[in-house]
Amino acid sequence: MYDEHYTRLNQYRSLWILVFFDLPTETRKERKIASTFRKKLLDDGFSMFQFSIYMRFCASRENAEVHTKRIKNNLPEHGKIGFMQITDKQFGMMELFYGKKLVETDKPSQQLELF
């Protein structure tokens, strides 16, 4: 019998990493730094949730730690950056609206892990 509690991609074991940031963009150099930071997030598999909020699904806490460490190694010198990890179950309880219209949240696609 299939038991979801013991599956590898369990809603309580898999995580979402949310990265929140406010980076200075007054000068051309600051805009370049902010753009580079966003590009590195995208290159690492993050997707834009809102302009200064990016998110990434991770199948395990260990995988989330790898990506969090990678971001920490690429932090810009100035600006505010925050990280938050939440379970897939918590993420699934989020309600999204466009105006007053409730929108279904996207389900993460299952990712293949190679060892």
Side-chain angles (χ1 to χ4, degrees):
M1 180 81 189
Y2 179 78
D3 187 355
E4 186 176 324
H5 178 72
Y6 293 105
T7 59
R8 186 169 177 108
L9 291 177
N10 184 296
Q11 287 183 319
Y12 297 98
R13 289 190 57 209
S14 53
L15 299 170
W16 286 87
I17 303 173
L18 299 167
V19 180
F20 311 92
F21 57 91
D22 282 326
L23 300 176
T25 57
E26 298 293 317
T27 67
R28 178 180 221 148
K29 182 180 177 183
E30 290 173 338
R31 285 190 295 277
K32 173 78 172 157
I33 291 169
S35 177
T36 301
F37 181 70
R38 276 191 214 90
K39 184 176 181 334
K40 286 180 182 178
L41 287 173
L42 293 171
D43 290 345
D44 194 30
F46 284 80
S47 57
M48 188 182 344
F49 183 72
Q50 291 185 353
F51 188 68
S52 293
I53 302 173
Y54 282 67
M55 62 185 187
R56 185 184 200 293
F57 178 77
C58 296
S60 67
R61 184 165 304 282
E62 296 80 15
N63 184 246
E65 305 237 347
V66 167
H67 293 286
T68 300
K69 187 175 184 178
R70 192 173 294 154
I71 299 163
K72 287 179 180 179
N73 288 335
N74 291 308
L75 291 176
E77 188 174 334
H78 301 286
K80 288 184 178 181
I81 297 137
F83 302 85
M84 180 169 53
Q85 294 181 2
I86 60 173
T87 65
D88 187 42
K89 182 72 172 175
Q90 291 169 320
F91 187 83
M93 292 186 297
M94 178 175 31
E95 292 184 308
L96 294 175
F97 293 86
Y98 289 119
K100 293 187 178 191
K101 183 178 178 187
L102 181 63
V103 179
E104 283 290 319
T105 56
D106 293 334
K107 302 284 185 216
S109 58
Q110 187 164 347
Q111 295 181 354
L112 177 64
E113 290 185 36
L114 301 176
F115 297 94

